[in-house]
Amino acid sequence: MEVLSPESQQAHPQACGYTVRHAVIAMLRELGMTKIFGNPGSTELPLFRDYPEDFSYVLGLQEAVVVGMADGYAQATRNASFVNLHSAAGVGHAMANIFTAFKNRTPMVITAGQQARSLLQFDPFLHSAQAAELPKPYVKWSCEPARAEDVPQALARAYYIAMQEPRGPVLVSIPADDWDRAAEPIAVRHVGFESRANPQTLELIGQALESAQAPAFVVGAAVDRGQAWDAVVALAERHQARVFVAPMSGRCSFPEDHRLFAGFLPAMRESIVQHLDGHDVVFAVGAAAFTYHVEGEGPHIPEGTRLYQLIEDPAIAAWAPVGTAAVGNIRMGVEELLARAPGAEAGRAAPRARPVPETPAPPAPGERMSVAYAMHTLTQVRDEHSIIVEEAPSSRPVIQTHLPIFHSATFYTMCSGGLGHSMPAAVGVALAQPRAKVIAVIGDGSAMYSIQALWSAAQLGLAITFVILKNRRYAALQDFSRVFGYREGEKVEGTELPDLDFVALARGQGCDAVHVEQAHELEAVLRKALLHERPMLVEVEVA
């Protein structure tokens, strides 16, 4: 693609043949968005003609894989990713992971190809009848520009909205014939994406923490997402506060070997109240208060406890059933609380330490290893700075116990509960962090939602270790069935997964793979896999 000088572009854009495609490519380059994640269709092809050499196209074999990779990449780079999908069908395929990106608060600019404008009145093949409406409500903003020459400005607006806290995906539908229309260059502007919380509300939070007898923090994904990890650790240490992880958090936001770490809250009202009992002040920082998965009754917090919240999302602050909420950037808010002069908290005694989990026993002869044993073994052999990308919902409590996370930006999962995110997200994280070791811990049921991610990992030559926990069932549904009145041992239809061979599936897509059934073999296999210079899948038979 010919590169025109900015002066020539500004002075004679039409005479120089300056088009929508030129304007968009130049803008993406300036924003650092030179990777395009996609699975192309016919209406997307005009964007890729004369493709610039400094750009790369990250191909996924299904649109949900595309969005999952872009999600991991955006989270790990902390910049919006650029996604290119195909009209209604492609966006439809991608919707599960668009939903997850929305819940993850992942900044993402999604473009969807549309048929040529002159065809739209005839209801053409593979068009999107209401393109801007299709992804709602799980995008922050969407549009189909009224004119071709408006496309670059619409994409600039989309980027700024995606990056504004609370961050999230946006979508712009672009007719195929727009890319070659004349356009003006876009001047990339500086836009502040974070806002400070109200000082008066932070004052109330500061006073409450200083006067508390036994404070507790509940940390959520926004702490790590907003680069507030160190500040939250310092604030917890100042107040000698026990620190819990919020239910369904997609990031680790506190070192799990810290003396103040108290564990993970379940997504059940009564259990949360039980865990927080004895704390007179609870500070939910970067977390909803609270995310529930099943119906409950009674109070949302223990009797006599006061709840305070710092969150970047005003919608979350609005639906919180109790408490005082400050809305604003997490890091800025916590740093302002740290800047307060020390008060009565200075002499507060440290809370009791969390019990150290017992080392899982190896299986008896003839039995499969437990997930606890597998995760404990992985913990023993991995570097603590390696990055874990997890999607094994039925095993999550065990994983949380036996695969602790110690450092910022070293854990990712989905905040949505939707399957099919983390296998491709691991590919995106590895692309963004080429010097880090990425380990994807995936359930066998979850893996089948986006198994094509293995092909992308192989084609990109990423040294990811995929650990598949193979229990041959949708265990989360079987375990959850009792909530809905199933009897012990009663069959749950559609939850058995026999005859899946992940070694064959991996090798068929270009990845190396190995099957492990014997517990005594696991450590050596994992050590070898973690040193492998290409993607490696380890299929682990678990009870």
Side-chain angles (χ1 to χ4, degrees):
M1 177 182 291
E2 181 184 0
V3 180
L4 305 175
S5 70
E7 295 78 11
S8 297
Q9 294 167 10
Q10 293 285 354
H12 308 289
Q14 295 183 1
C16 295
Y18 196 82
T19 65
V20 168
R21 183 170 59 252
H22 288 98
V24 170
I25 291 294
M27 180 184 69
L28 293 177
R29 181 180 289 118
E30 192 167 350
L31 292 171
M33 301 167 70
T34 56
K35 280 184 170 58
I36 296 180
F37 296 82
N39 179 272
S42 55
T43 52
E44 288 73 60
L45 293 178
L47 170 59
F48 305 120
R49 193 173 63 248
D50 300 325
Y51 200 60
E53 292 184 358
D54 60 327
F55 276 60
S56 58
Y57 187 89
V58 183
L59 175 61
L61 298 185
Q62 206 266 5
E63 287 87 346
V65 172
V66 169
V67 173
M69 292 191 299
D71 188 321
Y73 185 80
Q75 289 199 66
T77 60
R78 304 185 187 275
N79 189 27
S81 52
F82 190 85
V83 178
N84 186 242
L85 302 176
H86 183 51
S87 64
V91 175
H93 287 160
M95 272 307 301
N97 275 339
I98 292 174
F99 167 67
T100 291
F102 183 79
K103 293 294 185 179
N104 284 353
R105 302 296 186 258
T106 302
M108 187 181 300
V109 177
I110 303 169
T111 56
Q114 175 67 291
Q115 287 288 7
R117 291 179 185 270
S118 62
L119 284 175
L120 293 181
Q121 62 178 318
F122 302 119
D123 197 17
F125 186 64
L126 283 176
H127 85 303
S128 186
Q130 298 182 53
E133 299 301 312
L134 178 60
K136 292 180 178 178
Y138 298 116
V139 291
K140 291 183 66 179
W141 181 72
S142 60
C143 81
E144 186 172 274
R147 305 178 306 163
E149 52 265 45
D150 297 331
V151 168
Q153 187 61 54
L155 287 171
R157 180 180 178 183
Y159 175 81
Y160 301 137
I161 292 173
M163 291 293 290
Q164 182 71 47
E165 290 188 333
R167 296 179 174 182
V170 296
L171 183 139
V172 180
S173 172
I174 305 174
D177 54 340
D178 282 7
W179 294 104
D180 291 321
R181 300 294 178 88
E184 299 287 337
I186 289 292
V188 174
R189 300 181 294 122
H190 173 77
V191 176
F193 297 126
E194 298 89 17
S195 59
R196 290 185 177 275
N198 182 277
Q200 287 75 29
T201 310
L202 288 176
E203 174 68 21
L204 293 175
I205 295 173
Q207 290 176 358
L209 290 174
E210 289 156 8
S211 64
Q213 298 299 309
F217 287 9
V218 177
V219 296
V223 169
D224 199 34
R225 190 167 61 232
Q227 297 179 277
W229 174 292
D230 292 338
V232 167
V233 170
L235 190 67
E237 290 174 345
R238 168 181 286 194
H239 292 286
Q240 297 293 335
R242 297 178 75 205
V243 180
F244 297 89
V245 175
M248 305 300 183
S249 180
R251 303 279 286 263
C252 176
S253 297
F254 198 83
E256 294 172 16
D257 59 344
H258 196 285
R259 60 181 176 81
L260 294 174
F261 182 66
F264 299 83
L265 293 181
M268 301 173 64
R269 186 191 303 190
E270 295 88 345
S271 294
I272 290 172
V273 171
Q274 184 178 4
H275 277 76
L276 297 178
D277 190 36
H279 296 284
D280 57 335
V281 170
V282 173
F283 182 31
V285 54
F290 295 102
T291 300
Y292 302 130
H293 192 193
V294 296
E295 286 185 287
E297 58 184 21
H300 296 276
I301 55 176
E303 192 73 28
T305 298
R306 293 174 291 158
L307 177 68
Y308 296 84
Q309 183 180 37
L310 173 62
I311 191 72
E312 90 278 36
D313 188 342
I316 292 177
W319 65 248
V322 294
T324 298
V327 178
N329 179 263
I330 307 301
R331 179 182 51 79
M332 292 178 182
V334 174
E335 287 176 349
E336 288 191 33
L337 291 171
L338 280 170
R340 296 171 61 87
E345 78 279 0
R348 187 180 292 144
R352 68 184 185 278
R354 182 180 183 228
V356 177
E358 293 184 5
T359 301
E367 294 183 355
R368 292 179 184 166
M369 74 186 87
S370 65
V371 173
Y373 181 87
M375 293 298 96
H376 176 75
T377 304
L378 178 58
T379 296
Q380 300 307 302
V381 300
R382 83 174 183 102
D383 186 295
E384 68 175 34
H385 291 90
S386 59
I387 299 172
I388 302 293
V389 186
E390 177 265 321
E391 190 179 299
S394 64
S395 301
R396 185 162 298 150
V398 178
I399 294 171
Q400 289 169 339
T401 300
H402 296 286
L403 185 61
I405 307 299
F406 308 109
H407 303 284
S408 176
T410 61
F411 177 80
Y412 301 89
T413 187
M414 75 295 193
C415 292
S416 67
L419 302 183
H421 163 267
S422 294
M423 184 170 267
V427 177
V429 171
L431 269 178
Q433 301 291 342
R435 293 187 178 89
K437 182 64 187 181
V438 175
I439 305 167
V441 179
I442 312 291
D444 51 356
S446 292
M448 291 307 298
Y449 280 73
S450 53
I451 195 69
Q452 304 96 324
L454 295 174
W455 181 88
S456 296
Q459 293 298 308
L460 293 165
L462 300 172
I464 304 169
T465 301
F466 295 93
V467 178
I468 305 297
L469 299 176
K470 188 177 181 180
N471 58 20
R472 300 172 183 264
R473 62 195 182 108
Y474 287 127
L477 291 177
Q478 293 178 349
D479 297 342
F480 202 64
S481 63
R482 297 176 196 175
V483 175
F484 294 104
Y486 281 71
R487 298 182 299 276
E488 179 73 29
E490 184 177 355
K491 182 180 180 181
V492 183
E493 296 294 338
T495 59
E496 299 295 332
L497 300 174
D499 304 325
L500 286 172
D501 185 343
F502 286 95
V503 171
L505 288 167
R507 289 175 178 169
Q509 297 183 75
C511 290
D512 297 321
V514 62
H515 176 86
V516 181
E517 192 164 346
Q518 302 300 319
H520 68 272
E521 298 175 348
L522 181 61
E523 180 178 343
V525 169
L526 287 176
R527 287 189 186 279
K528 185 176 179 180
L530 293 174
L531 294 173
H532 206 56
E533 295 183 353
R534 287 181 43 76
M536 180 77 171
L537 183 142
V538 181
E539 179 187 60
V540 184
E541 292 275 2
V542 295

